[in-house]
Amino acid sequence: MAEIMQKDGVWTFDGETVRIVPGRERGVHLMRQTLGELAVPLAAVAGIAFEAGRKSGRLRLRLREGSDPLLQVTRGQLPDAADPYQLSVEPDRTGVAEYFVTEVRNALLLEQIGNGPCDRYLLPGPAVPLSVGAGDGVAAFDGETVRLEWNWKTEDAKKSAGTRVFSVSDVMSVVWQPSAGLEHGYLRFVLANASTQAPPKYDPYAVELYGFKKDPLMALIAAAVTARMPHPSGADQTPVALSKPADAAPGGAAGGGGAGGDGGQPGGDGNDHDTLLRRLRELGELHREGILTAEEFAAAKQAVLKRF
């Protein structure tokens, strides 16, 4: 188990999942606090790095493209303070951060997880129901229906259309764009039967954003809806278990060693033992072929041996 605790939040890694809990200090971004705890399966991780600094360092978790609906809709436009996959690290915790990086990298190497794109979402997106008031309206989503209501800042032409209520099945795409300079941002829903080229200020299916504190929270609405839409890869979006299933017992009955069980004790048929031996041989081949350096091979080998 690797763990790093900071005012900015707490990250833990148990060999299968990176668990991210945002801090509750005053300086922690509202979006991260609203999003809450995240459980990132190792299969969704593309890489991890620690960047040292004079006053503080930064731990960064990089996810595979298409694994997280939040990253899908924000497209790298979240400010660092709002990014849930970054952790500010104090100077006296540099060693802990580097150890955390080593443990995650060793697990990625051991499990031979690539950094290519995913064909399905491996994270479920923000929890629903969710309601956010920002800009010229309030957007709410209960998991099936989106509701847009207007406030006193809404243009009369848009407000006259009244409250918009539509099903997620009617949504073709969701676009979240943060404010930049003098340009306002927006959250826009493109519907199959109600497409428009009107600016967000006049579009009854868009919330215009002015660059205030709660604006990034609209990205959570966008992500929650996106998580329930077809994956952009075009593959069938079937639910993915974020923890390993229990080993199957003879006769098809489930065994008792699922997530949260005895932590990987080998089964009676020796499958776990054989798998670890096979991975040791694979690592040896990668080292002989020059793909792994001596240091990488030693670290990966040690990680395998710990599991025996």
Side-chain angles (χ1 to χ4, degrees), residues 239-264:
V240 176
L242 300 188
S243 59
K244 289 186 176 179
D247 293 334
D262 61 7

Side-chain angles (χ1 to χ4, degrees), residues 80-99:
D80 285 352
D83 188 344
Y85 301 112
Q86 296 190 33
L87 180 70
S88 180
V89 178
E90 297 170 6
D92 62 343
R93 306 299 288 173
T94 295
V96 179
E98 291 174 342
Y99 172 74

Side-chain angles (χ1 to χ4, degrees), residues 40-41 43-46 62-76 85 114-125 223 226-238 240 242:
V40 184
V45 178
R62 185 167 59 88
L63 270 58
R64 295 168 62 192
E65 182 182 349
S67 65
D68 181 15
L70 177 61
L71 297 184
Q72 187 71 32
V73 298
T74 54
R75 309 183 311 281
Y85 301 112
N115 57 8
C118 296
D119 61 0
R120 66 187 66 191
Y121 293 124
L122 300 181
L123 283 90
T226 297
R228 290 158 177 81
M229 295 173 59
H231 193 273
S233 70
D236 183 24
Q237 178 68 17
T238 54
V240 176
L242 300 188

Side-chain angles (χ1 to χ4, degrees), residues 6-301:
Q6 295 290 272
K7 294 179 181 179
D8 204 26
V10 178
W11 286 21
T12 58
F13 178 60
D14 61 4
E16 296 181 355
T17 304
V18 178
R19 196 166 299 277
I20 298 173
V21 180
R24 292 298 174 185
E25 300 287 337
R26 184 176 180 180
V28 178
H29 199 281
L30 176 62
M31 177 173 169
R32 291 174 53 211
Q33 293 188 353
T34 304
L35 181 60
E37 181 177 332
L38 293 173
V40 184
L42 187 63
V45 178
I48 187 171
F50 174 66
E51 303 166 358
R54 285 187 177 181
K55 294 184 178 180
S56 65
R58 189 166 295 275
L59 197 58
R60 295 179 186 267
L61 190 67
R62 185 167 59 88
L63 270 58
R64 295 168 62 192
E65 182 182 349
S67 65
D68 181 15
L70 177 61
L71 297 184
Q72 187 71 32
V73 298
T74 54
R75 309 183 311 281
Q77 298 182 94
L78 283 176
D80 285 352
D83 188 344
Y85 301 112
Q86 296 190 33
L87 180 70
S88 180
V89 178
E90 297 170 6
D92 62 343
R93 306 299 288 173
T94 295
V96 179
E98 291 174 342
Y99 172 74
F100 194 97
V101 168
T102 299
E103 288 294 292
V104 175
R105 286 180 175 173
N106 285 346
L108 289 171
L109 185 61
L110 175 61
E111 300 295 341
Q112 299 183 16
I113 295 174
N115 57 8
C118 296
D119 61 0
R120 66 187 66 191
Y121 293 124
L122 300 181
L123 283 90
V128 293
L130 187 61
S131 179
V132 177
D136 68 351
V138 176
F141 181 54
D142 62 7
E144 296 181 358
T145 304
V146 179
R147 184 182 183 91
L148 302 179
E149 297 181 341
W150 313 116
N151 58 33
W152 62 273
K153 297 188 286 289
T154 311
E155 282 290 320
D156 290 340
K158 183 160 114 177
K159 187 184 295 185
S160 64
T163 299
R164 301 283 90 183
V165 180
F166 48 91
S167 171
V168 66
S169 61
D170 296 328
V171 180
M172 295 178 60
S173 65
V174 186
V175 182
W176 175 80
Q177 180 66 42
S179 303
L182 299 178
E183 295 292 327
H184 290 170
Y186 57 86
L187 168 65
R188 189 197 298 272
F189 296 92
V190 180
L191 276 61
N193 58 355
S195 60
T196 177
Q197 299 298 320
K201 184 176 183 178
Y202 302 105
D203 184 354
Y205 293 97
V207 177
E208 188 176 36
L209 304 174
Y210 306 129
F212 297 139
K213 183 178 180 180
K214 290 187 176 181
D215 281 11
L217 298 185
M218 282 295 180
L220 300 183
I221 294 285
V225 174
T226 297
R228 290 158 177 81
M229 295 173 59
H231 193 273
S233 70
D236 183 24
Q237 178 68 17
T238 54
V240 176
L242 300 188
S243 59
K244 289 186 176 179
D247 293 334
D262 61 7
Q265 293 294 327
D269 57 4
N271 284 342
D272 291 346
H273 186 271
D274 292 344
T275 298
L276 293 175
L277 287 175
R278 185 169 62 252
R279 285 180 179 166
L280 280 175
R281 288 194 294 269
E282 292 171 348
L283 290 171
E285 291 174 0
L286 292 173
H287 177 47
R288 286 192 294 273
E289 294 171 2
I291 297 174
L292 295 180
T293 65
E295 292 78 10
E296 291 171 336
F297 172 66
K301 179 181 176 181

